[in-house]
Each structure stands twice: as C-alpha cells, then as structure tokens.
Amino acid sequence: MQLQVTNSPFSQEQSEKLNHILSTLTDEQRIWLSGYLTVPQNTQSSFIIDSFGQSHNAKNQTELRQVTILFGSETGNAQSLAERFGQRIKEQDFPVKIAALDDFKPKDLKKVQDLFIITATHGEGDPPDNARTFHEFLHSRKAPQLKDLQYSVLSLGDESYEFFCQTGKEFDKRLEELGGERLYPRVDCDLDFDEPAAEWMDGVLGILQEMKDTHETTQADSLSETSIIEQPIYSKANPFHAEVLENLNLNGRGSNKETRHLELSLEGSKFEFEPGDSLGIFPKNNPALVDDLIAEMGWDPQTSVQINKQGEVRALREALLTNYEISRLTKSLLQKAAQLFNHDRLKDLLQPDNEENLKTYINGRDLLDLVRDYRPNNIAPIEFIQILRKIPARLYSITSSYKANPDEVHIAVGAVKYPAHRQIQAGVCSGQCADRVEPGEQIPVYIHRNPNFKFPADIDTPVIMIGPGTGVAPYRSFLEEREEIGHNGKTWLFYGDQHFDSDFLYQVEWQRWLKEGVLTKMDVAFSRDTDEKVYVQHRMLEKSKDIYQWIADGAHIYVCGDERHMASDVHTTLVTILEQEGHLSHDEAELALNEMRRQKRYQRDVY
C-alpha cells in the first residue's frame, strides 16, 4: 500500500520519502524496522539484530549464549579435541572461548552459561598439570553456585588404569553439586577416542542447534511489568554473615608469631570496596569464658534476655557470646557494678585515692574475675547485662582486590596473646580467628570505608609503601588490583618482620609481582636475623637518595601498622631524609611532610 496524505498522518513530503524507502527494503529490513518502531523511543538507541537474525532490545533481551570450552591435557589430545570442537561451534555462529583449565580465571566461572570440559586423567586419577589449580578451586569452598550453568564433560583415559577417566568424572559430579545442569551426558573415552569423542560433539551440537532454532524474539520484554525483589542492605547495623573459605597460618615453623590469612565469601552481600578499606568483624567471646561465667552466677543459659531497645530477645548464653564485652574490665564497668552489686570492698577500690590499685586490678582481669572477687547476690541476668557494653567490632585492613575477587574478601589477622590474671589470654577476635573458626562457618562482617588511606587515581603516580607485619595488608590489595587491570606504574615496598624463614608474609606473591613488574622495588628488614636489629626505617635510610628522588618525582607515601613505634620511627626517618637529601632544616622538613599530608601524598593507617 502506498502512503498518502489521505490514508496516513504524514505530510505529502514525508509520504513520498517513506514510499521511496519502503520500496527498497528487504524482508529482513522490514522485520527489523517493525521491531524498532515498537520499542519505546528512549530505548531505541540500543536496538540490535541478534545472532539468530531476530530483532530485539539490547538492554532487555537475551543474546546468543557464549560457549566456553576448557581443556586439561598432558599429551595434547584433549587440547586438539577442544580446538576441533571449538571450530565446529564457530561454524554454527556461536561465540566461543577456548582455554586450558588453569588459564581460565576462576572468578569468571559464574558468568559462564554453556561450559564444555574436555580433560585427560593423569597418573593414578590425578588431573593434568594444566588443570590442577582449577580442579582444586572447583572442589574448594570458594567454588560458586552455578545454577545458571549448562555443561557437559568429555573424558579421556586408559581403561587399563584403576581410576579410568577419574578427573572427568570428578568435574562432572562437582558441576552438578554446584547447581549446574548437565546439557549432555558425560562420555568417557579409552585410548581409541576419536569415535566416541565425535559422537559427544555431535550430541552437544545437536542440542545447541535446537536451542538456537527455538530461540524466540522477546522485544516486548521492555514493555512488560517486572517484579522487583527487594534485597537486604548489609551494613554495620545489619552485618552480612560471610562464610569462611580459608583460614591459614602464614607463619612458618618456629615462628614466635601467628598470622591468620582468612578468605571470606561475600556472595550475595553486594559489598564493594577499594584498596585501603577495612573489613569490620563482630567477634564472639570465648565459649569457655561464657560458660564459666554463667556457671559461677548459677544462671540458666537458656534464660531469655532483651538485648536492645527494639525488643530483640536472645538466650542468655547467645547474648553473652555475641553481644556483650566480657573479656576486659574498665573503670566505668566497675562503677556500675559497684552500684548493682552493692559491694563495699568494690566501692572502696573505686575511691579517688585508690587510683593505682584500681589500674593494677583492671589490668589482665575479665568479668569472671570480677564476679569471683566481688560476688553479687541474687542478680538477675537481665539486670546484669544492662551494665555491660556492647562488644565492639574489630577492623582489619583488606588484603584483596574487589576487582580481582568480587565475591571474596581477604584479611590478615595477627593472633594477640598476653599474660592475664588466670592464664594466657587471647584477643577476642584474633583468638577466635586463630583457634575457633573453621572453613564453612560464618562471621558477621561489614565494609568500613577509609577515605584517608586512598591510593592515587593516576596510574602513573609513583607509590612508596611501608608496612611491617600485617601492616603490609593494604598493599597486597593495591598490587593485586593493579595486576588485575594491567597497570605497571612505579611501586616500592618496604616490609619488615622478625625472621625471613618463618615470618615473610605473602612472600611468593611479592616475588611474583617483582618478576612481572607490578612491584618495581622491594626492600626487607628481618630484625631477628642479625645481631643488630634492623627495621624498615633503617632500610629507608640506606636508600635515602632514591626515596628523595621518588618524592621529588611526585611519589605518594603510605604507612600502615603500629603507631606507637613503627609509624613514629618512619616519620622521623622521612624527616631525616628530607633534611639530608633536600638540604632542609628540621622545621622545613616537617613542613614539607605536612604539605604532603595535606595534598594526600603522605597517608597513614596506624593503630
């Protein structure tokens, strides 16, 4: 039908132009234009033709699924089959990615829709060398749920071995356990694999072709109503319960220290973070201390107590485990206890002229000591907990990159132990991490932003990082992120600890980053390996000329760790370097550092 002024809303000029254009269109172009005109105007800019030749809205529609082929190969057979299979997939116009299993980034597994694994089995049922890391990941707690995944496995083996095609069988079973849907049954091949491998390929390709043929245009999706399920917002007030994936001791045999490396799952939290941010943890008290306290007071551990103004009720034992501080005493607590207990000797201890005795008593004692020394009579649990303060969260510098591991967060926790009144006491959170947290358990966490410890946005800015012990944590996060996004600006790390052999935290990673250029320079100081103790500030003085040149070139300096000793000594050293190399007076050097601090070129995260 020809458009005219009388049968359309167009002017004469518009009708003539449209008639001319329409007469030149192919059927495919007419279909595309029809779909284009049905899409709301504000979304037409993203209207596309998909791989099936059907028009739909790019923002709201499902594109042709990408096929991922991963292989594990010792002799090259599995790789050859993977490449052959990939070529056949491409011939059907599917986007396809082919890689060795260990070359595939595990964090990308959740994005995969159609996964096909072709793998040999090595030795006594072991994965090939280029599949070991992926195999370990998939069978670890870090493996994600794969409810949107379709998969199939082709196994190569030798029936004369006891564990015939074991690696393929394990991959097949594990993908199903993680929620994947088996698109085509696994095929196990003996040494003569050509025919069964070809049948597997034909079977998989047949199903993919059926999916392609039945794929329907869904251009009207953009107009349909979408139900929105509200997700909880996690924060300090509503912490996310993160599953512990790994809990490792970073220190070697013979070390005087214990540093725990924890990897936690953030899947479902919607948390994001940057290098320099911290993870807040709400710890639990030692159950033994809680049970002894309840027994000492003669309480029923299941007694219900209200723990907040909102009326939330918990069993007494759970409340003492998770809500209240019981491992240390304060003057404020003793003052409240003196009134509640109505104990004369406790009141005497709090007299102004008894200040030194009070400090001595508080040091190294906990709530159990208090009720044993100044026993209260007939105090109900609900009255008792009202004098206790809520257990505070502990902050730990994040050691991982969100960009590299978006569903995980890593921290390094130095176990704190000290002599107390009754026994050697452990820090509440660090003791829990060291002694009472196993993979599979959950810890309540939140992200704590640290706007005063931010790495430069300009990737070309030189960075000097100073952090002994667990103070090195944020630098691991920073370098891991630079590796992920491919930035290789100048970076220099000063790291120190007690012994090279047992206390070199994350040693392998620093060495790898040095080799790859992610880390430009590294200087270390191990104080107990030499007769004269050497610390990071001594290494800095040895490199004073280079440090000064980096500063002159615009370097940002970061210091993380102990404030009382290390951070103070490093500051003094920086002043000395500016005095010596910049020929400044002491006051001028201090002013220069203050100006760097004002410009965010000198930042500290100290505790």
Side-chain angles (χ1 to χ4, degrees), residues 271-274 400-408 477 481:
F271 283 154
E272 295 183 9
F273 52 87
E274 297 177 345
S400 59
S401 160
Y402 173 79
K403 287 186 171 65
N405 303 282
D407 288 329
E408 297 179 17
S477 172
E481 182 144 314

Side-chain angles (χ1 to χ4, degrees), residues 429-542:
C429 192
S430 68
Q432 178 186 356
C433 292
D435 303 325
R436 302 191 301 277
V437 171
E438 298 292 336
E441 297 181 14
Q442 293 184 336
I443 298 177
V445 302
Y446 64 95
I447 298 297
H448 176 79
R449 306 289 180 189
N450 189 353
N452 298 315
F453 201 75
K454 288 299 172 197
F455 293 89
D458 184 352
I459 60 174
D460 294 323
T461 302
V463 173
I464 298 174
M465 303 166 286
I466 305 155
T470 56
V472 82
Y475 310 135
R476 180 178 183 264
S477 172
F478 174 60
L479 294 176
E480 187 175 69
E481 182 144 314
R482 289 174 75 87
E483 178 186 37
E484 176 68 17
I485 60 184
H487 291 169
N488 288 329
K490 292 175 63 177
T491 54
W492 190 352
L493 175 63
F494 286 89
Y495 172 76
D497 218 310
Q498 292 186 355
H499 298 285
F500 175 89
D501 289 338
S502 60
D503 303 315
F504 199 163
L505 307 184
Y506 303 115
Q507 176 186 0
V508 173
E509 289 172 272
W510 308 129
Q511 291 174 332
R512 176 171 61 82
W513 283 328
L514 278 168
K515 182 178 179 181
E516 296 173 354
V518 178
L519 180 59
T520 310
K521 300 179 67 173
M522 183 174 188
D523 283 275
V524 296
F526 294 98
S527 59
R528 308 292 174 86
D529 285 346
T530 55
D531 293 336
E532 184 178 350
K533 291 185 178 180
V534 177
Y535 299 105
V536 289
Q537 61 267 26
H538 299 125
R539 297 298 185 220
M540 292 171 64
L541 282 174
E542 292 172 2

Side-chain angles (χ1 to χ4, degrees), residues 249-257 499 501-503:
N249 184 5
L250 294 178
N251 297 98
R253 183 178 301 174
S255 175
N256 297 320
K257 308 170 80 173
H499 298 285
D501 289 338
S502 60
D503 303 315

Side-chain angles (χ1 to χ4, degrees), residues 156-173:
L156 306 184
D158 182 342
E159 283 193 347
S160 64
Y161 283 87
E162 179 182 358
F163 299 101
F164 171 62
C165 288
Q166 183 68 25
T167 300
K169 293 174 182 177
E170 291 174 354
F171 276 135
D172 185 54
K173 179 182 178 183

Side-chain angles (χ1 to χ4, degrees), residues 92-112:
Q92 292 198 6
D93 297 325
F94 282 91
V96 62
K97 177 178 182 178
I98 306 173
L101 282 154
D102 280 0
D103 290 338
F104 181 79
K105 291 184 177 180
K107 71 183 183 67
D108 290 337
L109 188 57
K110 287 181 62 177
K111 305 173 187 176
V112 176

Side-chain angles (χ1 to χ4, degrees), residues 57-73:
N57 182 277
K59 184 176 180 179
N60 296 310
Q61 307 306 319
T62 303
E63 296 182 2
L64 187 60
R65 297 162 67 103
Q66 182 182 60
V67 173
T68 300
I69 303 172
L70 302 180
F71 61 85
S73 184

Side-chain angles (χ1 to χ4, degrees), residues 126-342:
D126 298 322
D129 285 345
N130 64 353
R132 287 179 180 274
T133 301
F134 186 89
H135 184 273
E136 291 174 2
F137 167 80
L138 200 68
H139 287 81
S140 73
R141 293 184 178 275
K142 300 177 70 172
Q145 290 298 304
L146 302 172
K147 60 181 180 180
D148 296 324
L149 178 77
Q150 294 184 137
Y151 73 94
S152 185
V153 176
L154 177 67
S155 304
L156 306 184
D158 182 342
E159 283 193 347
S160 64
Y161 283 87
E162 179 182 358
F163 299 101
F164 171 62
C165 288
Q166 183 68 25
T167 300
K169 293 174 182 177
E170 291 174 354
F171 276 135
D172 185 54
K173 179 182 178 183
R174 183 57 173 161
L175 290 171
E176 183 180 42
E177 291 173 349
L178 294 172
E181 178 183 354
R182 192 177 286 104
L183 183 141
Y184 188 83
R186 185 189 76 249
V187 171
D188 298 332
C189 304
D190 198 2
L191 296 177
D192 186 12
F193 57 78
D194 286 327
E195 187 174 326
E199 291 178 359
W200 177 81
M201 292 183 194
D202 290 341
V204 171
L205 284 166
I207 293 176
L208 290 177
Q209 186 63 49
E210 288 178 11
M211 293 169 53
K212 180 178 178 181
D213 292 342
T214 57
H215 183 80
E216 298 179 351
T217 303
T218 53
Q219 59 192 31
D221 284 357
S222 61
L223 302 176
S224 63
E225 293 184 2
T226 303
S227 60
I228 300 176
I229 301 175
E230 291 189 6
Q231 297 293 327
I233 298 175
Y234 296 105
S235 63
K236 184 176 182 180
N238 182 34
F240 176 74
H241 285 71
E243 181 185 354
V244 179
L245 302 173
E246 296 284 358
N247 186 352
L248 308 171
N249 184 5
L250 294 178
N251 297 98
R253 183 178 301 174
S255 175
N256 297 320
K257 308 170 80 173
E258 183 178 2
T259 307
R260 308 302 300 193
H261 171 80
L262 271 72
E263 299 182 4
L264 309 175
S265 171
L266 294 183
E267 187 171 2
S269 69
K270 295 187 177 180
F271 283 154
E272 295 183 9
F273 52 87
E274 297 177 345
D277 288 340
S278 299
L279 186 75
I281 295 179
F282 285 100
K284 283 188 176 182
N285 287 307
N286 190 330
L289 176 59
V290 171
D291 293 338
D292 287 347
L293 178 62
I294 291 174
E296 187 71 27
M297 296 297 290
W299 289 329
D300 179 356
Q302 297 305 313
T303 299
S304 295
V305 292
Q306 182 175 321
I307 62 170
N308 55 34
K309 294 181 180 179
Q310 289 72 41
E312 185 178 354
V313 174
R314 290 188 180 177
L316 174 63
R317 185 176 187 274
E318 181 64 19
L320 290 174
L321 270 174
T322 62
N323 292 88
Y324 297 102
E325 184 174 73
I326 64 173
S327 62
R328 62 189 296 265
L329 302 179
T330 65
K331 182 177 180 180
S332 174
L333 173 62
L334 265 62
Q335 289 171 334
K336 294 174 184 176
Q339 297 302 315
L340 179 64
F341 296 1
N342 195 23

